[in-house]
């Protein structure tokens, strides 16, 4: 990719002189700064889709970071289908991109296409989710610690209820690392409290509509809020859908049922400011910068950690109005 960029930079030279320039450039290439090398990068980005406000924010953030750096970003929306992502990654490989960002819709089934990228010497950076594959097949993962997010939500709930609570859980997309790890982290904490129990648990597919539909079934099965102390939702959009289901059923969120979720999208801060949600944990959507930096470091032959963490804090209603004003 670098040689092609040099040719385009010296179109007025004849073949001999261009060869001389290319030779000189090859000698100087190792000492060029990262910023100089960065100007020519072409990056492929395979996004899961746009199932939530957080996902949309992540996409916009990565596109903006690529534009700020002058990168050519080739974007592909998989619409929640792994087969579409695999096709996109193979297309990026065929185009000879300098790096690939992959936000995997599920954990498994990536070995073959990652091997193809490795054979093509194209570094793959996993974005916001992990895969169940040999770590040598990708450069790094830029993501939060989902287990830590789930554990933080459970710790807040245990403190809020003195360790006594019947919980309904809205899980994320089945098979996704975010859903698996957030549940694992949450369960690891409440297992220390004999009187904290998950009485209902089902996937809402990370969508607002899914959260509303499943919460409606929870309320119907439990006779309203009588036996439910709290809702733990694996993302804010499902929590917002569940809040709507509660209100339509005559149940008061935060009064009759506590609500804790993850992502920190603008609408959950409005819900907290309006007294309809109790807590959210921030999932940082600004992952383009560290992902691009990792690819640059790889090009320079520098060591890149296998996991670049981007965890955020837990937010409560006392700062919700100010946070909403900053984020809307």
């Amino acid at each position: 990719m670098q040689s092609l960029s040099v040719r385009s930079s010296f179109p007025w030279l004849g073949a001999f002189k261009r060869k001389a320039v290319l030779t000189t450039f090859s000698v100087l290439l190792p000492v060029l700064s990262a910023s100089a090398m960065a100007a020519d990068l072409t990056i492929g980005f395979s996004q899961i889709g746009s199932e939530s406000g957080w996902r949309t924010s992540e996409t916009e953030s990565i596109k903006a970071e690529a534009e700020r750096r002058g990168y050519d970003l080739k974007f592909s929306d998989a619409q929640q289908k792994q087969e579409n992502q695999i096709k996109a990654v193979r297309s990026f490989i065929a185009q000879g991109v300098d790096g690939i960002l992959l936000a995997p819709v599920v954990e498994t089934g990536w070995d073959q296409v990652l091997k193809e990228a490795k054979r093509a010497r194209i570094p793959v950076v996993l974005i916001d989710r992990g895969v169940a594959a040999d770590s040598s097949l990708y450069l790094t993962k830029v993501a939060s610690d989902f287990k830590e997010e789930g554990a933080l939500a459970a710790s807040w709930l245990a403190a809020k209820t003195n360790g006594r609570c019947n919980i309904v859980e809205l899980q994320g997309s089945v098979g996704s690392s975010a859903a698996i790890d957030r549940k694992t982290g949450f369960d690891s904490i409440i297992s220390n409290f004999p009187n904290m129990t998950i009485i209902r648990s089902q996937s809402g597919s990370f969508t607002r509509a899914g959260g509303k539909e499943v919460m409606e079934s929870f309320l119907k099965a439990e006779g309203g809020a009588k036996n439910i102390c709290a809702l733990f939702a694996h993302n804010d959009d499902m929590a917002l859908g569940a809040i709507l289901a509660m209100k339509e059923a005559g149940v008061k969120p935060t009064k009759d049922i506590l609500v804790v979720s993850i992502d920190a999208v603008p609408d959950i801060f409005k819900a907290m400011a309006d007294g309809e949600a109790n807590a959210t944990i921030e999932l940082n959507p600004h992952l383009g910068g560290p992902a691009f930096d990792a690819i640059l470091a790889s090009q320079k032959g520098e060591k890149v950690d296998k996991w670049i963490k981007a965890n955020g804090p837990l937010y409560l209603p006392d700062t919700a109005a100010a946070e909403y004003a900053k984020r809307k």
Side-chain angles (χ1 to χ4, degrees), residues 13-298:
L13 292 177
F16 176 79
K17 290 183 178 179
R18 187 165 58 234
K19 182 178 180 180
V21 171
L22 286 169
T23 301
T24 302
F25 184 85
S26 298
V27 172
L28 293 175
L29 184 59
V31 299
L32 285 177
S33 67
S35 59
M37 295 171 68
D40 296 323
L41 288 189
T42 297
I43 305 293
F45 175 26
S46 174
Q47 178 59 286
I48 294 168
S50 55
E51 80 280 6
S52 66
W54 185 90
R55 185 67 55 191
T56 301
S57 295
E58 181 194 49
T59 298
E60 292 175 349
S61 172
I62 290 176
K63 286 182 175 178
E65 180 65 20
E67 183 176 358
R68 188 184 71 80
R69 295 183 181 219
Y71 294 175
D72 178 12
L73 187 72
K74 298 184 179 301
F75 177 74
S76 176
D77 182 341
Q79 300 181 334
Q80 316 295 321
K81 295 180 180 178
Q82 185 184 33
E83 62 192 74
N84 290 342
Q85 290 200 288
I86 290 174
K87 288 179 183 176
V89 171
R90 285 182 172 142
S91 173
F92 296 149
I93 294 171
Q95 294 175 69
V97 299
D98 298 292
I100 294 172
L101 308 188
L102 171 64
V105 64
V106 294
E107 276 195 339
T108 59
W110 297 103
D111 299 72
Q112 181 56 43
V113 75
L114 289 178
K115 287 178 182 175
E116 292 170 23
K118 186 176 182 179
R119 278 199 296 270
R121 297 185 179 184
I122 298 174
V124 175
V125 176
L126 305 177
I127 293 293
D128 80 69
R129 294 184 182 182
V131 297
D134 191 301
S135 61
S136 68
L137 297 178
Y138 57 88
L139 175 63
T140 185
K141 176 177 74 172
V142 181
S144 297
D145 185 334
F146 296 140
K147 291 180 183 177
E148 190 173 307
E149 291 173 344
L152 185 56
S155 297
W156 173 83
L157 189 57
K160 184 74 174 178
T161 63
N162 292 318
R164 303 181 67 86
C165 190
N166 284 341
I167 305 157
V168 293
E169 177 186 38
L170 286 169
Q171 295 189 39
S173 300
V174 176
S176 68
S177 60
I180 294 168
D181 289 350
R182 284 172 180 168
K183 179 169 182 56
T184 299
F186 190 86
D187 291 351
S188 71
I189 296 299
I190 68 167
S191 65
N192 298 303
F193 298 90
N195 294 315
M196 293 186 78
T197 306
I198 296 177
I199 58 172
R200 300 273 172 186
S201 182
Q202 188 175 328
S203 173
S205 301
F206 281 133
T207 67
R208 202 168 296 199
K212 182 175 184 293
E213 181 180 349
V214 176
M215 191 68 205
E216 287 171 346
S217 69
F218 286 165
L219 291 170
K220 186 176 181 180
E222 296 296 331
K226 294 178 183 177
N227 194 41
I228 303 173
C229 159
L231 163 70
F232 167 49
H234 288 196
N235 80 344
D236 290 337
D237 276 80
M238 291 192 296
L240 291 164
I243 289 168
L244 183 56
M246 292 182 209
K247 292 164 66 176
E248 289 180 356
V251 173
K252 296 179 180 177
T254 73
K255 301 293 190 301
D256 297 327
I257 298 177
L258 300 171
V259 179
V260 57
S261 54
I262 299 169
D263 275 0
V265 301
D267 284 354
I268 201 68
F269 286 107
K270 184 176 188 310
M272 284 199 291
D274 293 342
E276 296 180 343
N278 296 91
T280 187
I281 297 155
E282 185 174 49
L283 175 63
N284 182 2
H286 306 292
L287 305 180
F292 296 144
D293 287 345
I295 292 172
L296 284 172
S298 174

